[in-house]
């Protein structure tokens, strides 16, 4: 009777870095590149603050929303469209035209990791910009206790995610980083004019205001205003329970835009230059 020597299973191959580690490494590299670009730093840090600083001249507070919360709501909307959306669109297109996206896609990084890693600096600055504006308002003594803190947080996070997928989808018809100034213009103008940033929805004709509530940025503004000031889109004051009741429609609209934007981004995002 011969004894058989049990065979040892082969040692597993050395695992590469996890998804989060790869994404953070790419994000770190993108942040270093971003910090070297003085123009991008100025556009991301100074211009949104200048835009927000000019808002008090537009008689904020006349729509029933205190000046402090109204300024934070405006800061959220302005930062999302003028910083998050525009910066991400130009960055994605620039990386595509430099063949960076194509090279990254052929490595270990997944498509989601590439997009999130490249978007990381802009997303971080988006949050930082809103925090700085809120801190400045508190120092000026204009801060008011929020009705609910969850709704503004949802507005910022979901709004940033929406601008990310819309920027990715917009690369389909943006040939160069320079042409992004033109292709981004419709969303910038519509969001500024009809998103509740400059003109309150309650001041618009009823039919136009109803349509405006279904635009991409409007539900973000509504959620932030409900949470920070407890004021609905038509100027009614509500408490915590009323704020969440009034938030049902903007939450649904925002979720719908996120779903549509994600599908469009996956189908139309360009990884290689358009020839």
């Amino acid at each position: 009777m011969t004894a058989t020597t049990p065979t040892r299973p082969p040692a597993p191959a050395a695992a590469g870095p996890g998804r989060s580690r790869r994404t953070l490494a790419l994000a770190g590299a993108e942040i270093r590149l971003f910090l070297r670009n003085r123009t991008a730093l100025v556009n991301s840090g100074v211009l949104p603050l200048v835009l927000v600083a000019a808002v008090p001249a537009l008689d904020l507070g006349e729509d029933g929303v205190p000046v402090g919360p109204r300024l934070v709501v405006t800061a959220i909307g302005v930062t999302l469209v003028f910083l998050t959306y525009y910066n991400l669109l130009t960055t994605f297109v620039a990386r595509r035209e430099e063949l960076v996206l194509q090279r990254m896609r052929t490595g270990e990084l997944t498509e989601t990791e590439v997009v999130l890693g490249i978007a990381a600096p802009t997303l971080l600055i988006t949050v930082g910009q809103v925090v700085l504006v809120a801190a400045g308002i508190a120092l000026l003594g204009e801060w008011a206790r929020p009705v609910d803190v969850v709704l503004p947080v949802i507005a910022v996070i979901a709004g940033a995610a929406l601008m990310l997928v819309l920027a990715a989808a917009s690369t389909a018809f943006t040939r160069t980083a320079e042409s992004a100034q033109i292709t981004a213009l419709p969303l910038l103008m519509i969001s500024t004019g009809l998103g509740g940033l400059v003109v309150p929805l309650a001041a618009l004709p009823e039919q136009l205001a109803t349509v405006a509530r279904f635009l991409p940025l409007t539900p973000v503004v509504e959620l932030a205003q409900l949470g920070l000031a407890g004021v609905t889109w038509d100027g009614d004051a509500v408490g915590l329970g009323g704020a969440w009741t009034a938030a049902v429609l903007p939450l649904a609209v925002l979720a719908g835009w996120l779903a549509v934007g994600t599908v469009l981004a996956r189908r139309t995002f360009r990884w290689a230059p358009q020839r």
Side-chain angles (χ1 to χ4, degrees):
M1 182 176 182
T2 59
T4 58
T5 304
T7 58
R8 181 178 298 177
R19 287 190 174 184
S20 59
R21 188 175 175 183
R22 292 196 299 262
T23 305
L24 289 174
L26 176 57
E30 287 290 329
I31 290 174
R32 289 192 292 272
L33 288 174
F34 185 86
L35 293 175
R36 295 174 187 172
N37 190 334
R38 295 183 180 180
T39 302
L41 285 175
V42 170
N43 290 338
S44 301
V46 177
L47 290 183
L49 287 177
V50 171
L51 289 170
V52 172
V55 173
L58 301 174
D59 297 325
L60 287 178
E62 290 189 352
D63 57 348
V65 182
V67 174
R70 181 61 174 163
L71 198 56
V72 177
V73 172
T74 304
I76 292 173
V78 168
T79 302
L80 286 176
V81 292
F82 286 93
L83 168 64
T84 314
Y85 172 73
Y86 182 74
N87 271 17
L88 287 178
L89 176 56
T90 55
T91 300
F92 287 147
V93 174
R95 296 291 185 272
R96 181 191 68 196
E97 297 304 306
E98 295 165 356
L99 303 180
V100 173
L101 294 180
Q102 208 169 24
R103 289 196 297 269
M104 288 182 176
R105 196 184 186 191
T106 59
E108 292 185 356
L109 291 167
T110 65
E111 294 180 353
T112 301
E113 291 168 1
V114 171
V115 171
L116 290 179
I118 291 176
T122 298
L123 296 177
L124 289 175
I125 293 175
T126 297
V127 177
Q129 190 74 64
V130 174
V131 171
L132 284 175
V133 172
I137 291 172
L139 289 175
L140 293 174
E142 295 289 350
W143 182 255
R145 183 178 179 181
V147 172
D148 179 71
V149 297
V150 177
L151 289 175
V153 171
I154 294 176
V156 174
I157 295 176
L162 177 58
M163 294 301 112
L164 170 60
V165 295
L166 291 180
S170 299
T171 61
F173 48 84
T174 306
R175 302 187 68 87
T176 65
E178 292 75 16
S179 65
Q181 300 177 27
I182 304 301
T183 57
L185 199 57
L187 180 62
L188 299 183
M189 293 182 64
I190 292 174
S191 298
T192 304
L194 298 176
L197 296 180
V198 177
V199 180
L201 293 183
L204 298 175
E206 184 177 354
Q207 293 182 345
L208 182 59
T210 301
V211 174
R213 295 188 70 192
F214 291 89
L215 296 174
L217 186 67
T218 311
V220 175
V221 173
E222 281 195 56
L223 292 174
Q225 183 171 294
L226 283 168
L228 291 172
V231 176
T232 63
W233 69 275
D234 54 358
D236 291 337
V238 293
L240 177 59
W244 277 97
T245 300
V248 172
L249 179 59
L251 283 172
V253 173
L254 187 54
W257 273 109
L258 276 170
V260 172
T262 301
V263 172
L264 288 176
R266 289 184 176 276
R267 293 185 177 182
T268 64
F269 187 73
R270 304 294 185 184
W271 293 91
Q274 304 179 50
R275 304 302 183 190

